[in-house]
């Protein structure tokens, strides 16, 4: 099992997993748990990470048409703005 370093908060307190790679995603799911993963919006850097999210059972997945940092940042903003609107 994975353990957090002292002082780090659990991933479920950060409900917007950022998936630059499938490895990052698998680590997040291992820490947060599959149930939490299914209830989150995941922001992926590209289609490869998005497929890993789908394989992990996630269905709310955002990723840019062309992989890369700029498109990824745009999708992160999009997800955060949508979350802020939903909380209003």
């Amino acid at each position: 099992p994975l353990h957090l370093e002292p002082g780090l908060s659990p991933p479920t307190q950060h409900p917007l997993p950022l998936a630059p790679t499938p490895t990052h995603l698998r680590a997040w799911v291992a820490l947060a748990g599959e149930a939490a993963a299914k209830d989150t919006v995941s922001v992926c850097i590209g289609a490869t990470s998005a497929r890993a999210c789908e394989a992990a059972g996630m269905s709310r997945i955002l990723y840019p048409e062309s992989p890369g940092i700029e498109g990824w940042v745009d999708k992160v903003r999009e997800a955060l703005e949508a979350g802020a609107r939903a909380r209003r």
Side-chain angles (χ1 to χ4, degrees):
L2 296 172
H3 299 283
L4 292 175
E5 292 292 322
L8 293 179
S9 58
T12 53
Q13 291 181 4
H14 308 283
L16 184 66
L18 306 176
T21 68
T23 301
H24 286 95
L25 171 74
R26 285 190 294 273
W28 190 92
V29 172
L31 288 169
E34 289 182 20
K38 290 180 183 183
D39 291 335
T40 63
V41 174
S42 181
V43 183
C44 301
I45 199 165
T48 301
S49 296
R51 284 191 297 274
C53 287
E54 290 173 350
M58 299 172 141
S59 60
R60 298 166 50 194
I61 305 164
L62 297 174
Y63 64 98
E65 288 183 31
S66 298
I69 297 297
E70 287 184 25
W72 186 43
V73 169
D74 289 342
K75 290 297 178 180
V76 169
R77 284 188 187 127
E78 180 183 320
L80 292 172
E81 289 169 359
R85 283 191 302 272
R87 286 189 295 276
R88 290 182 193 158

